[in-house]
Amino acid sequence: MPIKPSELNPEFLKKLEDRYGPISKDDFFADDLSYYAKADKPEERGEGGGVTHTIINLPSFGTLYKSLEDARDDAMALTRDKDLKGDPSYRQQASDIRDTFNTFRTWFRNNYPDQYDLATGKISEVVKEMSTTAGAPGYNTPYAFRKKGSKSPVAKYIKMGYTPVKD
């Protein structure tokens, strides 16, 4: 789902404005911030009211972050393997992988905080779950509209246009 400019960090948007010009309400971003769709002359809408966009590829570190995270997790899991537990050269390799991930994570978090938040799942969902009464089940109890032990108000149902039937 595309991301609107209003949902992003103003510092990030300022960097883009400095480089590509003003951001309009018709601009949007990929959900992983891998590209920026900049509206071409948003004031000049086409016959159908649409706007054309220029796609600007952005440096997206989300995939790299996930790959390094997986490599770190795999390396640490292998350190518990009985054959590799006593191997100091493997332990050093696993430690190097862990350190590389930690160094990259710190750099990523400090230099591209919006992408870091997306990659780590720290941005709350943009679309809230919608609730409608059509999604709720109906009343399925015989006492939904009257107390237990009281008779059904047949006269009221007949007045509303219903016809009584035998069970």
Side-chain angles (χ1 to χ4, degrees), residues 41-85:
K41 300 180 183 176
E43 64 280 352
E44 297 177 15
R45 296 195 174 268
E47 186 178 316
V51 175
T52 60
H53 291 83
T54 298
I55 302 299
I56 300 168
N57 290 318
L58 299 174
S60 179
F61 299 104
T63 304
L64 176 58
Y65 176 83
K66 293 289 185 194
S67 297
L68 287 173
E69 185 177 43
D70 290 344
R72 180 209 54 194
D73 293 345
D74 291 344
M76 292 298 115
L78 284 174
T79 60
R80 294 185 289 275
D81 183 80
K82 66 180 182 176
D83 295 332
L84 295 174
K85 265 187 180 180

Side-chain angles (χ1 to χ4, degrees), residues 128-149:
K128 301 294 181 196
E129 190 173 325
M130 188 169 84
S131 175
T132 62
T133 55
Y139 289 99
N140 292 326
T141 80
Y143 306 110
F145 300 103
R146 62 186 167 100
K147 291 185 178 186
K148 188 174 182 177

Side-chain angles (χ1 to χ4, degrees), residues 11 19-20 89 103-104 113 125 133 157 163:
E11 292 175 23
R19 188 164 189 182
Y20 301 111
S89 65
T103 302
F104 176 76
E125 290 295 319
T133 55
Y157 293 141
T163 317

Side-chain angles (χ1 to χ4, degrees), residues 9-130:
N9 183 331
E11 292 175 23
F12 175 71
L13 296 176
K14 174 87 172 89
K15 287 180 191 177
L16 289 176
E17 282 184 333
D18 291 346
R19 188 164 189 182
Y20 301 111
I23 294 176
S24 77
K25 64 179 180 64
D26 295 312
D27 294 352
F28 63 91
F29 296 83
D31 57 356
D32 62 353
L33 293 180
S34 61
Y35 67 84
Y36 163 42
K38 180 157 182 60
D40 298 325
K41 300 180 183 176
E43 64 280 352
E44 297 177 15
R45 296 195 174 268
E47 186 178 316
V51 175
T52 60
H53 291 83
T54 298
I55 302 299
I56 300 168
N57 290 318
L58 299 174
S60 179
F61 299 104
T63 304
L64 176 58
Y65 176 83
K66 293 289 185 194
S67 297
L68 287 173
E69 185 177 43
D70 290 344
R72 180 209 54 194
D73 293 345
D74 291 344
M76 292 298 115
L78 284 174
T79 60
R80 294 185 289 275
D81 183 80
K82 66 180 182 176
D83 295 332
L84 295 174
K85 265 187 180 180
D87 186 350
S89 65
Y90 177 75
R91 293 189 79 66
Q92 182 58 48
Q93 290 298 320
S95 178
D96 290 347
I97 292 169
R98 184 193 61 223
D99 293 346
T100 299
F101 171 75
N102 289 338
T103 302
F104 176 76
R105 181 181 56 198
T106 301
W107 176 85
F108 186 31
R109 184 179 58 241
N110 292 334
N111 293 293
Y112 294 91
D114 287 324
Q115 287 191 29
Y116 177 78
D117 288 344
L118 281 173
T120 58
K122 291 185 179 176
I123 290 182
S124 61
E125 290 295 319
V126 174
V127 179
K128 301 294 181 196
E129 190 173 325
M130 188 169 84

